[in-house]
Amino acid sequence: MEFNDTYQMLIGGELVAGSATLDVLNPATEEVIARVPDATEADLDAAVAAARRAFPGWAATPIEERKAKLNALGDAIFGNIEGFARLLTREQGKPGTEAQGEIMGAGYWLKAFTALDLPETVNEDSDERISITRHVPLGVVGAIAPWNFPMILAMFKVAPALLAGNTMVLKPSPFTPLCTLKFAELASEILPAGVLNVVTGGDSLGPWMTSHAGFDKISFTGSTQTGRRVMASAAPTLKRVTLELGGNDAAIVLPDVDVEKIAEQLFWAAFSNNGQICIATKRMYIHKDVYEPLRDAIVAYAKTVKVGDGSEQGTQIGPINNKPQYERVLDLIQDAKDKGYKFLMGGEKADVPGYFIPITILDNPPEDSRIVQEEQFGPVLPLIRFDDYDDVIARANATDYGLGGSVWSKDEEKAFELAQRIQSGTVWVNETQHLSPLAAFGGMKQSGVGVEGGLEGLLEYTNAQTLVRRKKPAFAQ
Ligand code: NAD
């Protein structure tokens, strides 16, 4: 595919320019790099109507054919890794290698999901009757994606929704619509018209979608604050919702770790994608017996990491993706400064164009500080000392979030025992952020409603339907 400067929506199989445009910036330079369609309500209505028209045919398509289309979409992404990755770096800011990783992950997700099938359960098969529960698609799904992983998180929705036989209208974040629109170009050549529609627009488009009576389900990934709005807006028409929301993941590091060997891994648990990961480590609790040496080792490693424009060779951490998020992270840093917390490094605004914030690490700020209690979603990490396991588990759980968490120790059994006490949707031992298309992923508490991934995630795009057939009814004898 040609990665030219033309960006169009996909509505009913047609690529559509729209009547107005939105600017998209490169966060490393703050320069406008593209203009994308700014959808009107009429554009959204057209996309929903196209998805509705396509639904009966797609739902009736044998699942093996739907799988073949998902495989073809995945192959199309794999055939364009370089182009997508370069574009992703320009719109999102992440370094080239991370961008490539995300694009390959997006292709892989579409293909790997095809290992799943929709189960049928025989509830009863007796002389009187046979009762079967099967899973039928919901109808039209509205999918709303965030800006931190625009491609892979969109595919988290496309794969299960289309596999289950639904049609979709997908909306990327206005900060990162470019790769999704190029993916739409590929999809227009692979999928039947209307099965996948892609619309882009400003702040009104999401609320138009969540309140639109033409959707049967909203699948949303974004902040907890917006998630609450989505759920409220979906309520009047009782749309199904899957909400993948924010997190404040704790990492708990036990005293038996090898400080020198683990420092790098712990650093990246927090700072990959510049900390802009829902399941990034956002609070790091370190046992008092290793607190000082591990703190020093993490800081020493952090000082070797290159922050810069993601398109430059050797860059390991790029800019924050957008201005509102940049200002939010700076506000958290300023709060920590105002309160007099100790900074081990960072804390200053980088005096260059672009939304750059130097790697910032804090030394044992109070448990009730904003930087410990809030989701920073940026390159700022509080290191916190602990000495009692019950106490650290209680602190890890004392939050409305419950997305992820991790425990690190040479004693895998001890770590596993502690991991099971963390109230989060996914907990890792001696690694973080490993996700699989075949495993349920979602948040407990206010980190989400429902899951994506695995059979559980697939079934969220279906209605369970029980069919009961009486055998040899009395009236027929
Ligand atoms: P956001 O909530 O600001 O926006 C997410 C999407 O929702 C965007 O497409 C946006 O345009 C749209 N939107 C905004 N207001 C809306 C409204 N009122 N109604 C409908 N749609 C609306 O989130 P963000 O800043 O793009 O992403 C960062 C957040 O997402 C973080 O909190 C992060 O933890 C979370 N996140 C969660 C997961 C997960 O899987 N749990 C994954 C990635 C990011």
Side-chain angles (χ1 to χ4, degrees):
M1 184 175 59
E2 201 195 330
F3 283 82
N4 59 21
D5 290 337
T6 304
Y7 294 96
Q8 295 176 303
M9 299 187 285
L10 175 60
I11 299 178
E14 302 293 324
L15 295 169
V16 178
S19 52
T21 59
L22 283 178
D23 288 345
V24 180
L25 306 188
N26 178 341
T29 61
E30 297 175 61
E31 285 165 4
V32 175
I33 51 166
R35 294 198 165 79
V36 299
D38 185 3
T40 60
E41 259 185 297
D43 293 327
L44 176 62
D45 288 344
V48 175
R52 180 75 41 217
R53 278 195 304 278
F55 174 62
W58 184 246
T61 301
I63 192 165
E64 292 308 323
E65 284 178 39
R66 298 201 298 256
K67 288 184 179 185
K69 294 291 186 193
L70 288 176
N71 269 314
L73 284 176
D75 289 338
I77 291 178
F78 277 114
N80 290 280
I81 292 172
E82 278 305 314
F84 272 121
R86 265 196 300 274
L87 188 59
L88 185 56
T89 294
R90 293 182 73 217
E91 66 173 334
Q92 206 288 329
K94 65 185 66 189
T97 45
E98 284 195 40
Q100 276 202 1
E102 179 175 346
I103 298 304
M104 289 193 283
Y108 168 71
W109 215 266
L110 290 169
K111 294 174 73 69
F113 229 93
T114 62
L116 293 172
D117 278 296
L118 294 169
E120 262 191 21
T121 311
V122 179
N123 311 304
E124 180 183 338
D125 189 0
S126 63
D127 287 346
E128 283 86 41
R129 71 182 59 78
I130 180 159
S131 161
I132 293 172
T133 299
R134 63 174 188 157
H135 295 271
V136 296
L138 295 169
V140 179
V141 174
I144 301 178
W147 47 258
N148 61 335
F149 284 87
M151 277 291 274
I152 196 163
L153 293 179
M155 299 315 139
F156 274 32
K157 304 179 186 312
V158 170
L162 268 53
L163 179 62
N166 302 278
T167 57
M168 177 177 272
V169 178
L170 166 65
K171 184 194 92 63
S173 165
F175 297 115
T176 52
L178 302 183
C179 284
T180 313
L181 288 172
K182 288 297 169 195
F183 171 72
E185 274 184 43
L186 294 176
S188 72
E189 289 165 14
I190 294 169
L191 294 171
V195 168
L196 177 71
N197 305 273
V198 178
V199 292
T200 49
D203 292 343
S204 304
L205 185 55
W208 288 341
M209 287 175 71
T210 54
S211 60
H212 199 295
F215 287 110
D216 300 284
K217 175 182 173 109
I218 297 291
S219 177
F220 170 82
T221 303
S223 63
T224 294
Q225 197 185 17
T226 310
R228 288 190 197 106
R229 291 194 197 112
V230 170
M231 197 160 178
S233 170
T237 49
L238 290 179
K239 293 180 187 71
R240 275 67 177 150
V241 291
T242 296
L243 305 176
E244 295 285 354
L245 308 177
N248 192 8
D249 291 12
I252 299 175
V253 188
L254 274 48
D256 63 359
V257 296
D258 186 323
V259 163
E260 292 307 321
K261 284 195 185 144
I262 206 172
E264 177 175 344
Q265 210 181 343
L266 289 177
F267 173 86
W268 289 113
F271 289 95
S272 289
N273 207 40
N274 207 1
Q276 303 165 115
I277 308 187
C278 52
I279 44 175
T281 294
K282 291 174 183 145
R283 311 173 269 163
M284 192 172 288
Y285 293 96
I286 302 175
H287 192 274
K288 67 173 180 12
D289 290 355
V290 277
Y291 184 82
E292 277 82 12
L294 185 51
R295 173 195 70 188
D296 295 347
I298 291 172
V299 170
Y301 177 75
K303 288 187 172 158
T304 69
V305 171
K306 187 173 174 238
V307 179
D309 186 330
S311 65
E312 284 166 17
Q313 199 75 23
T315 295
Q316 291 167 284
I317 289 183
I320 294 285
N321 171 257
N322 58 74
K323 195 158 187 208
Q325 183 59 21
Y326 171 69
E327 286 172 351
R328 203 187 118 58
V329 177
L330 288 179
D331 179 57
L332 277 172
I333 291 174
Q334 190 58 48
D335 177 74
K337 278 184 174 169
D338 293 346
K339 302 272 169 45
Y341 306 148
K342 188 172 167 203
F343 285 72
L344 295 161
M345 65 185 287
E348 302 303 325
K349 189 163 137 181
D351 207 9
V352 291
Y355 305 132
F356 288 101
I357 295 180
I359 296 165
T360 299
I361 302 179
L362 282 97
D363 191 5
N364 206 29
E367 190 64 29
D368 64 357
S369 56
R370 284 185 59 200
I371 191 59
V372 175
Q373 291 299 319
E374 294 184 22
E375 181 186 40
Q376 62 273 50
F377 221 63
V380 190
L381 177 68
L383 304 179
I384 309 157
R385 182 197 293 262
F386 81 91
D387 60 8
D388 177 83
Y389 292 126
D390 289 339
D391 174 58
V392 78
I393 292 290
R395 285 151 80 179
N397 288 335
T399 166
D400 287 336
Y401 291 115
L403 191 59
S406 58
V407 185
W408 304 76
S409 172
K410 280 186 193 154
D411 183 347
E412 288 179 29
E413 291 307 317
K414 174 73 185 164
F416 194 62
E417 179 200 317
L418 290 174
Q420 291 173 69
R421 296 172 61 193
I422 297 180
Q423 295 160 349
S424 289
T426 308
V427 188
W428 292 270
V429 169
N430 294 332
E431 65 172 341
T432 47
Q433 295 164 20
H434 177 265
L435 299 181
S436 160
L438 305 181
F441 169 68
M444 291 185 184
K445 301 193 263 183
Q446 294 189 33
S447 282
V449 173
V451 295
E452 286 182 322
L455 182 59
E456 294 89 345
L458 176 62
L459 294 186
E460 288 200 17
Y461 287 92
T462 65
N463 276 317
Q465 182 186 45
T466 297
L467 297 168
V468 186
R469 202 169 87 202
R470 179 79 192 190
K471 293 181 183 170
K472 298 188 222 106
F475 65 80
Q477 287 173 16

